[in-house]
Amino acid sequence: MSRATAAPALSAPFAAPGADISLTREDMKFISALVYEQAGIVIREHKEAMTRGRLARRVKALGLSSVAEYCAFLKTPQAASELPELINAVTTNHTAFFRERHHFDHLRKDVMPRLVQERSSRRGRIRIWSAACSSGEEPYSIAASCREALGHRNDVDFKILATDIDTDILARAEAGIYPAELIDRLPADVKPLMKLEGAGRGEVRMADEMRRLIAFKRLNLIEKWPMGGPFDVIFCRNVFIYFDTQTKASILDRFVALLAPGGFLYLGHSESLPQPHANLRLIGRTIYERTP
Ligand SMILES: C[S@@+](CC[C@H](N)C(=O)[O-])C[C@H]1O[C@@H](n2cnc3c(N)ncnc32)[C@H](O)[C@@H]1O
């Protein structure tokens, strides 16, 4: 088995001093297959350097001496508890408050006023799902966008379900603490929608009135989902880019089954349906309506 060209040693905190973080082609294939099987994420060949860096964190955390040793460990039965850590290490969690602003404008101005009016008359439910919520910026932006329409009424049962496969990032989302500068940088018209508390040291914490609207749960999109729906809105943004066509198509079918007729699905800016779907109609930039 030929060893890939030795990588330049990564600086701390990623690699243990002296750890060999080179990755053979065979180990890269093994890791790619494992990550695909566990999370549906396709690691493309050109991502090898990034993968090596991410595995190096696990090498360090486990006190191993090389990526090769880590891969050998993953092949043993004792490695079952390491699999979530591997997935946490390889996920890309980039996100931002009010990222792809047009979705939040659509939700706040077109969707929520109508839903609240419709549901309040029969004390109904409104359910929104943030299906790959990363560190929480997306569900908190959803909460902020919905507060106006909800007002102080208690005749609507409103909840946001926020899920992600990555348990580390989910813990951060649930804590709801962010650098204050992220909020300072928000456009002037959306900043007042956020309800915050001071957390000290240049940080802010999402206020209880925002946090209690959200339930955070670990959920792997390629596994069975425990929820019965229906959802009025599903955000599934910037995660399809990591999946292949087959995985996307199967998840989309399951979204459609959970979406209420007239409900909306928001995808990420570079994402589209793998093929036209009989029950999804494009009504705006990456906004799909569930048809009856
Ligand atoms: C780039 S972030 C997108 C965050 C947010 N939706 C946004 O658009 O700003 C992608 C997220 O998808 C999550 N993810 C990747 N594979 C997943 C899977 N199989 N099931 C659930 N979440 C997954 C990652 O952990 C990561 O937090």
Side-chain angles (χ1 to χ4, degrees):
M1 147 177 83
S2 69
R3 199 159 267 289
T5 317
L10 288 183
S11 56
F14 296 127
D20 175 5
I21 60 153
S22 57
L23 181 63
T24 63
R25 190 160 293 168
E26 201 171 294
D27 280 345
M28 176 71 182
K29 266 169 82 180
F30 164 70
I31 291 289
S32 303
L34 188 58
V35 169
Y36 180 74
E37 176 199 287
Q38 296 289 318
I41 297 172
V42 177
I43 302 181
R44 301 186 204 282
E45 266 179 39
H46 69 276
K47 298 278 183 187
E48 193 200 305
M50 192 181 81
T51 307
R52 212 167 45 208
R54 290 175 175 191
L55 296 181
R57 289 184 213 166
R58 295 308 305 152
V59 171
K60 183 185 182 204
L62 295 171
L64 302 175
S65 60
S66 66
V67 169
E69 198 183 340
Y70 180 60
C71 292
F73 168 61
L74 286 172
K75 291 173 187 161
T76 66
Q78 295 76 38
S81 61
E82 173 59 20
L83 292 179
E85 301 295 344
L86 168 69
I87 299 306
N88 289 356
V90 298
T91 51
T92 297
N93 305 117
H94 177 76
T95 187
F97 288 110
F98 291 94
R99 181 184 194 186
E100 295 168 49
R101 166 79 195 265
H102 61 284
H103 291 150
F104 300 97
D105 288 344
H106 180 253
L107 176 66
R108 177 177 156 216
K109 295 177 184 161
D110 299 340
V111 181
M112 278 303 287
R114 182 180 50 77
L115 280 180
V116 168
Q117 194 187 26
E118 190 186 297
R119 305 288 158 85
S120 59
S121 57
R122 47 189 167 93
R123 303 189 82 79
R125 290 158 44 136
I126 298 175
R127 290 289 181 269
I128 299 181
W129 181 15
S130 166
C133 70
S134 187
S135 39
E137 284 86 338
E138 183 175 280
Y140 289 119
S141 302
I142 297 172
S145 304
C146 294
R147 282 183 46 245
E148 207 174 38
L150 290 168
H152 293 289
R153 55 195 326 145
N154 55 8
D155 51 2
V156 183
D157 171 7
F158 176 86
K159 203 84 194 173
I160 300 161
L161 172 66
T163 64
D164 201 283
I165 194 173
D166 180 337
T167 49
D168 290 341
I169 208 73
L170 210 49
R172 275 172 45 193
E174 201 156 14
I177 298 172
Y178 300 91
E181 62 182 285
L182 294 186
I183 307 295
D184 292 343
R185 276 197 245 125
L186 287 176
D189 59 329
V190 294
K191 211 188 295 184
L193 303 175
M194 306 288 274
K195 274 281 163 214
L196 307 163
E197 293 162 0
R201 300 186 319 279
E203 291 180 326
V204 289
R205 184 171 188 263
M206 295 296 137
D208 282 348
E209 97 182 57
M210 304 254 291
R211 297 154 59 83
R212 66 165 173 259
L213 300 178
I214 309 172
F216 290 97
K217 301 263 184 268
R218 182 187 184 269
L219 182 140
N220 184 347
L221 284 167
I222 68 161
E223 288 176 354
K224 201 164 179 292
W225 306 338
M227 318 81 80
F231 286 95
D232 299 291
V233 179
I234 298 178
F235 283 69
C236 184
R237 309 184 315 154
N238 306 300
V239 61
F240 270 9
I241 41 171
Y242 303 104
F243 297 155
D244 61 14
T245 306
Q246 191 188 327
T247 306
K248 284 191 277 197
S250 134
I251 293 172
L252 269 173
D253 280 341
R254 295 199 284 155
F255 281 157
V256 167
L258 281 189
L259 263 177
F264 296 98
L265 170 67
Y266 301 136
L267 296 183
H269 61 284
S270 61
E271 298 166 329
S272 55
L273 302 185
Q275 64 236 0
H277 196 291
N279 298 103
L280 290 173
R281 187 166 63 97
L282 185 66
I283 58 135
R285 207 160 19 121
T286 53
I287 304 179
Y288 295 86
E289 184 180 6
R290 162 77 159 93
T291 57

